[in-house]
Amino acid sequence: MIKTEKIILGIDPGTNIMGYGVINAIGNKAEMVAMGVIDMRRMSDPYLRLGKVFDRITGIIDEFLPDEMAIEAPFFGKNVQSMLKLGRAQGVAIAAAIHHDIPIHEYAPLKIKMAITGNGSASKEQVAGMLKRLLKLEEKEMPKFMDATDALGAAYCHFLQSNAPLPEHHYGSWKDFAKKNSGRIKQ
């Protein structure tokens, strides 16, 4: 049996603090390689912040050479301006991955929390605690900002999703579904 190995970069987009986490996945085991944050709180110009995101994500990609990127999808809030800023930051991180030909996988926060803790409404602290146990992290490895563990959670969620067995009934398209389920479809 050939063991597959891949590096997954996880991103938790933010306009003040953006988290990143890198895991090494070997077969059905994963280990943390790095995690941290890109801190932009001292920068007032929003366009310079986006430039810093691109530069730092590019640097992280160059350092760790990820095979895939998992990014948390922005959740929909009531503040349109905040959503726009967050979407721009996410877009710049995605552009850095595209620039390096890295496949991108997007996960909703609920999906990530559910994959890590089994509870879609888990707190950041619960996600961080579960990642600490799952990845056997020591207390000194735990970051000050939970944006880093959120990013690590995106990477670990992708690891779990990519290692999940295919469903019993795998369909290549709607046409394939209809063909295999003709008795269930009303004309």
Side-chain angles (χ1 to χ4, degrees):
M1 183 176 138
I2 299 171
K3 283 197 170 189
T4 57
E5 182 172 357
K6 66 181 168 183
I7 304 291
I8 303 169
L9 168 62
I11 299 291
D12 177 39
T15 54
N16 290 318
I17 296 175
M18 180 175 282
Y20 67 89
V22 181
I23 63 171
N24 184 25
I26 304 169
N28 64 355
K29 296 194 185 312
E31 64 182 11
M32 187 212 33
V33 176
M35 73 174 146
V37 296
I38 301 166
D39 190 344
M40 298 162 286
R41 292 175 297 171
R42 293 185 184 205
M43 302 176 81
S44 59
D45 186 310
Y47 302 109
L48 291 178
R49 285 180 179 208
L50 295 175
K52 183 172 182 174
V53 166
F54 187 84
D55 289 344
R56 287 287 290 123
I57 297 296
T58 296
I60 291 164
I61 289 170
D62 290 342
E63 182 177 353
F64 297 106
L65 304 172
D67 299 294
E68 300 180 25
M69 183 171 92
I71 190 163
E72 184 175 303
F75 60 90
F76 297 99
K78 293 180 181 178
N79 187 329
V80 176
Q81 286 301 313
S82 293
M83 285 302 301
L84 178 62
K85 290 175 186 175
L86 187 60
R88 286 177 176 167
Q90 183 197 35
V92 169
I94 289 170
I98 290 169
H99 184 72
H100 287 80
D101 295 319
I102 297 170
I104 299 142
H105 306 273
E106 188 175 32
Y107 295 97
L110 182 120
K111 175 86 171 176
I112 295 169
K113 291 174 182 182
M114 188 64 118
I116 305 298
T117 68
N119 176 4
S121 60
S123 68
K124 288 178 173 284
E125 292 81 8
Q126 289 171 316
V127 171
M130 187 59 79
L131 286 169
K132 182 179 175 185
R133 285 188 286 284
L134 290 167
L135 295 170
K136 298 174 178 63
L137 303 175
E138 294 183 27
E139 188 60 40
K140 65 182 179 186
E141 295 176 288
M142 297 306 289
K144 176 181 174 185
F145 295 103
M146 291 202 187
D147 307 82
T149 50
D150 284 352
L152 193 64
Y156 196 79
C157 174
H158 180 63
F159 161 72
L160 293 172
Q161 294 301 306
S162 57
N163 277 343
L166 285 174
E168 189 176 316
H169 301 288
H170 181 68
Y171 307 107
S173 66
W174 279 110
K175 187 176 180 181
D176 186 32
F177 172 83
K179 183 178 170 185
K180 292 178 181 174
N181 291 279
S182 59
R184 295 174 57 195
I185 300 171
K186 294 181 182 180
Q187 301 287 339

